[in-house]
Amino acid sequence: MSSGSLRQWLQWGMGDAENLADFPDRWNPMFVRELRRMLKSRSFSITFLLLLITCWGAAVYLVLTYQDSISYSESGPMFSRCFFTILAFPLCFVVPMTLFAAAAEEHSDNTLEVLTITTLDTSKILNGYFWMGMAHAGIYYCAVVPFACFSYLLGGVGLLDLVASLGFTVFFTAIVACWGLMLGACSSGPIKRAFCSFLTIGGGVICFTILTSVLFLLIGTGIFSSDSISLLGGLVCFLVFTAPILAIVTGIARQQFQLVDPIIKPYRVQLDDQGNVTKFIARYNALQVRPPLPPGEFPMTATRTNEP
């Protein structure tokens, strides 16, 4: 290899290293920030370790329980259902609660007004939070998928059944992520936050029940080989039913995350019955930006009437 070629290879390598070092500037900044916070959080570390320990313990327990009478043609579905049920718990509870807490913190810390001076818009904020939730769930998938592959080696469950179950689980993950993000965006006060947190847990319970029921139907019943047309029709109907719900949920979250310049609109105006301005009231989430005091009465409490 000539010295010129070696120099080109070194320049190419250094360029890729610089691109990798600057990837937060080229990606969605909200996604990078929330992903770093999630990976450094203690709740994520505890949940991930508990998930691994639970899967390992379940595998050891099932093997020791059925080691004398285990049938490799029937034990695969039992193992697979157990592992997917374990996976469904953090997907339906931990992921939406993480998104809910992160989105609600934007209101409690009044950081939405600070974002108005940046190049971020509402779409980038929503996309950053959503893909952070999907990346959060993807780490849990990496912990459980090897155990699902072990259940496939035991027999009794087809590869197509596992792929379909995994795809349906990913779709439900997107649903609960949007649900938690929407409720977090709506929790602009302490009372709303408590009520929305209750709704987040309730939605997780409903999604957990539906997801585990569908997974028990998909895994090990041979439904893809015997009645695949009816199953496909049912999944299409489910997608048609949930698509408008996801659109509505995303629209509500987008409306709650609208960025308003606090310097331009730091107040809302109170009118009387005749339409006259009676009071300027500071917005709940606005920064404490006030105009200079005029000579005379204080502008926040003074009653103003139209002169004839």
Side-chain angles (χ1 to χ4, degrees):
M1 181 181 294
S2 62
S3 60
S5 301
L6 181 60
R7 188 180 299 107
Q8 291 180 358
W9 278 101
L10 290 177
Q11 292 177 355
W12 177 78
M14 292 299 294
D16 285 349
E18 292 177 358
N19 292 332
L20 291 177
D22 296 337
F23 81 95
D25 298 332
R26 295 183 288 107
W27 287 16
N28 191 328
M30 293 296 297
F31 170 75
V32 176
R33 187 196 73 170
E34 295 301 326
L35 185 61
R36 286 174 173 173
R37 293 178 58 186
M38 182 268 295
L39 293 176
K40 293 179 180 179
S41 63
R42 183 176 300 178
S43 60
F44 166 74
S45 302
I46 295 175
T47 304
F48 185 76
L49 290 177
L50 288 178
L51 183 64
L52 285 178
I53 294 173
T54 303
C55 290
W56 179 82
V60 173
Y61 173 78
L62 291 174
V63 170
L64 293 178
T65 302
Y66 298 96
Q67 61 179 347
D68 297 331
S69 60
I70 189 170
S71 175
Y72 291 100
S73 61
E74 298 178 358
S75 59
M78 177 182 57
F79 278 69
S80 183
R81 289 167 182 169
C82 179
F83 295 140
F84 271 102
T85 303
I86 295 174
L87 175 62
F89 186 83
L91 296 182
C92 295
F93 294 99
V94 179
V95 173
M97 286 302 298
T98 302
L99 286 173
F100 170 81
E105 189 177 356
E106 298 290 346
H107 290 292
S108 60
D109 294 344
N110 294 331
T111 54
L112 285 177
E113 283 75 14
V114 179
L115 295 177
T116 57
I117 63 176
T118 65
T119 58
L120 292 176
D121 54 9
T122 306
S123 299
K124 289 184 178 181
I125 295 175
L126 289 177
N127 291 333
Y129 277 121
F130 175 76
W131 289 114
M132 184 275 294
M134 297 302 293
H136 189 183
I139 299 176
Y140 297 142
Y141 283 105
C142 294
V144 180
V145 166
F147 293 94
C149 296
F150 170 71
S151 65
Y152 171 73
L153 296 177
L154 296 177
V157 57
L159 181 60
L160 187 59
D161 296 337
L162 290 178
V163 172
S165 301
L166 187 62
F168 192 79
T169 307
V170 172
F171 179 72
F172 250 81
T173 303
I175 293 177
V176 295
C178 293
W179 177 253
L181 180 59
M182 184 269 291
L183 292 176
C186 294
S187 56
S188 58
I191 299 178
K192 288 184 179 180
R193 182 166 185 171
F195 181 71
C196 291
S197 62
F198 175 77
L199 291 181
T200 305
I201 298 176
V205 172
I206 296 175
C207 290
F208 181 81
T209 304
I210 297 175
L211 179 58
T212 52
S213 301
V214 174
L215 290 177
F216 268 75
L217 177 64
L218 291 177
I219 299 175
T221 58
I223 193 169
F224 277 96
S225 59
S226 61
D227 200 8
S228 59
I229 298 178
S230 61
L231 178 63
L232 182 61
L235 292 177
V236 170
C237 293
F238 181 79
L239 292 175
V240 171
F241 175 75
T242 55
I245 298 178
L246 287 178
I248 294 174
V249 168
T250 306
I252 295 175
R254 183 181 179 85
Q255 193 275 332
Q256 295 295 325
F257 273 147
Q258 289 293 332
L259 300 180
V260 179
D261 192 347
I263 300 178
I264 297 177
K265 297 180 62 177
Y267 308 106
R268 65 184 178 92
V269 179
Q270 180 177 336
L271 305 178
D272 58 8
D273 297 336
Q274 287 76 28
N276 300 320
V277 177
T278 59
K279 186 183 296 183
F280 289 98
I281 303 175
R283 294 194 303 113
Y284 178 78
N285 289 326
L287 295 176
Q288 302 301 317
V289 179
R290 298 291 181 265
L293 294 177
E297 296 177 316
F298 189 71
M300 295 294 296
T301 57
T303 301
R304 301 178 61 181
T305 57
N306 296 333
E307 297 180 358

